[in-house]
Amino acid sequence: SMKEFGFFYVVDVPEYSASMELKYLTKFFSLPEEMKENVEIRRHNPANKNAYRGYCPGLDDIETTLQYKNIFNIGPHETRIPVDDKEMGSVLDKLRYDVQEPNVWPETDDCEFDKEFKEIFQAGFEIRRTIGRFFVESVARSLQMPEFTKLFQKDEFSAMGLRRYPERVLVNENMYSDFDGALLRELEHIDSTITVLTTFNNPGLEVLYKNQYRDVPVTGENSFIVNIGKLIGDIVDNELLSAKHRVVETDFTRHSITYFLGPQFDADISRSMTNKLTEAGHKYQIFGEWIKDYLGAIELFYY
């Protein structure tokens, strides 16, 4: 499936309920904006310390914002060990520290909601992380590339994004596809790392197959879609397909959850498993160098 289509489904996952996740992420996004301010990322609320983890409200400005969506980002860390500024001698040292940013969680006047929201999405993060790690092991085994697993011994950059795409009435002309003219909600793209995706029962996701975009079945109550991005494809010598995909415009508010598993900070991404120079390797040696420039070019986790 990964060689032919570029994605596959993981089904019948024990102790997982998509409807429970949808219930709580919908309730969070429905909270008044002032109640979500305490978990907004620093770019949107300078009073907060969290730069990456937490709530990133979308900008509903049809002229300047193409992919209007609200995101709540969750990472693998709940605490972070303090480090003396003197120990951070380079930009990479600082970034290595920054990516260990602990999660922030909603604090509303509903203590039961706060507790259950945190517990449900902590558990959801671990389920997706486990799927991602098993996938890494499966790739290494099936392609006979045992060194592949060593790139993922840590996952400082793993991230889970709860996404809400509000219904949009006005249209930005730049959201029409150059490929076939379809009106899009998420632009055509290829991911970078390993993705574990939940679409619930929301249609709209399409994947390019044999030069035609085709509907991707929804994940429903108890399954996930797994695919890889360009960086991972290059590392495994393109033995697996990194499929281009998009989300077409819908006439309803759409929700999804994306989980991204990337290599560890010091992973060598310059060479493939057969020692060929990767596309990233023309400029970067380790994943931390690559992610530094990548995050500098776009809003974090808007990929």
Side-chain angles (χ1 to χ4, degrees):
S1 180
M2 285 298 299
K3 290 187 175 184
E4 174 72 12
F5 304 106
F7 69 95
F8 68 96
Y9 287 79
V10 176
V11 301
D12 299 328
V13 180
E15 300 181 6
Y16 173 69
S17 169
S19 59
M20 186 63 70
E21 287 189 335
L22 181 60
K23 172 184 175 182
Y24 278 87
L25 76 83
T26 302
K27 184 171 181 179
F28 170 78
F29 285 122
S30 298
L31 292 171
E33 288 302 311
E34 59 269 19
M35 197 171 287
K36 295 184 289 226
E37 287 180 350
N38 65 325
V39 290
E40 284 183 353
I41 62 173
R42 190 169 59 222
R43 174 171 176 173
H44 292 274
N45 187 348
N48 293 339
K49 295 181 178 180
N50 50 301
Y52 305 139
R53 311 306 183 187
Y55 176 52
C56 183
L59 179 63
D60 189 13
D61 183 340
I62 198 65
E63 297 301 322
T64 60
T65 305
L66 298 182
Q67 302 182 133
Y68 174 40
K69 56 191 171 188
N70 303 316
I71 299 181
F72 187 88
N73 277 314
I74 300 167
H77 304 288
E78 294 298 337
T79 59
R80 177 168 57 185
I81 299 174
V83 175
D84 192 304
D85 288 344
K86 296 178 182 179
E87 298 179 35
M88 294 187 285
S90 69
V91 173
L92 283 181
D93 288 337
K94 184 178 186 306
L95 182 61
R96 193 193 308 274
Y97 174 76
D98 286 346
V99 299
Q100 299 175 40
E101 179 179 286
N103 289 319
V104 294
W105 299 100
E107 294 182 2
T108 69
D109 53 6
D110 185 343
C111 295
E112 183 177 357
F113 166 77
D114 297 346
K115 177 177 180 293
E116 292 181 351
F117 181 92
K118 180 178 180 179
E119 290 176 351
I120 286 168
F121 290 112
Q122 282 179 325
F125 186 98
E126 290 304 323
I127 288 171
R128 292 167 173 86
R129 175 194 249 173
T130 299
I131 290 171
R133 289 189 172 279
F134 273 123
F135 173 64
V136 168
E137 293 173 6
S138 177
V139 169
R141 185 171 56 253
S142 61
L143 298 182
Q144 298 183 354
M145 296 177 174
E147 296 297 306
F148 185 61
T149 59
K150 295 181 180 179
L151 303 180
F152 295 87
Q153 292 178 342
K154 298 179 181 178
D155 61 337
E156 305 100 324
F157 277 98
S158 61
M160 184 171 78
L162 316 182
R163 299 186 174 204
R164 178 177 184 265
Y165 298 81
E167 181 180 358
R168 205 168 195 182
V169 178
L170 299 177
V171 173
N172 185 310
E173 295 299 319
N174 293 317
M175 288 303 290
Y176 285 99
S177 167
D178 292 333
F179 182 82
D180 59 7
L183 180 59
L184 304 179
R185 171 45 67 101
E186 188 83 49
L187 294 173
E188 293 152 347
H189 65 285
I190 296 175
D191 291 344
S192 299
T193 54
I194 295 170
T195 304
V196 181
L197 174 66
T198 304
T199 59
F200 302 108
N201 288 306
N202 296 315
L205 178 64
E206 297 182 345
V207 66
L208 187 63
Y209 178 67
K210 293 186 177 179
N211 206 38
Q212 181 180 345
Y213 274 101
R214 303 166 190 263
D215 292 334
V216 176
V218 299
T219 56
E221 173 61 19
N222 194 247
S223 64
F224 300 93
I225 296 170
V226 180
N227 65 279
I228 65 166
K230 178 69 168 62
L231 182 67
I232 304 303
D234 284 352
I235 290 173
V236 298
D237 293 284
N238 295 302
E239 290 287 336
L240 306 178
L241 177 66
S242 49
K244 181 173 282 190
H245 51 282
R246 68 188 189 182
V247 177
V248 297
E249 185 61 272
T250 60
D251 59 0
F252 57 87
T253 294
R254 187 178 184 275
H255 297 92
S256 66
I257 299 179
T258 53
Y259 170 84
F260 300 106
L261 176 65
Q264 63 193 42
F265 193 93
D266 293 309
D268 187 345
I269 61 169
S270 67
R271 295 280 171 177
S272 73
M273 290 294 101
T274 59
N275 204 36
K276 295 176 182 176
L277 186 68
T278 62
E279 184 176 313
H282 288 282
K283 186 176 181 181
Y284 308 105
Q285 180 75 32
I286 64 172
F287 184 65
E289 295 171 335
W290 180 90
I291 202 73
K292 176 178 69 67
D293 282 359
Y294 186 77
L295 298 184
I298 62 170
E299 179 106 18
L300 183 63
F301 301 133
Y302 268 56
Y303 52 85

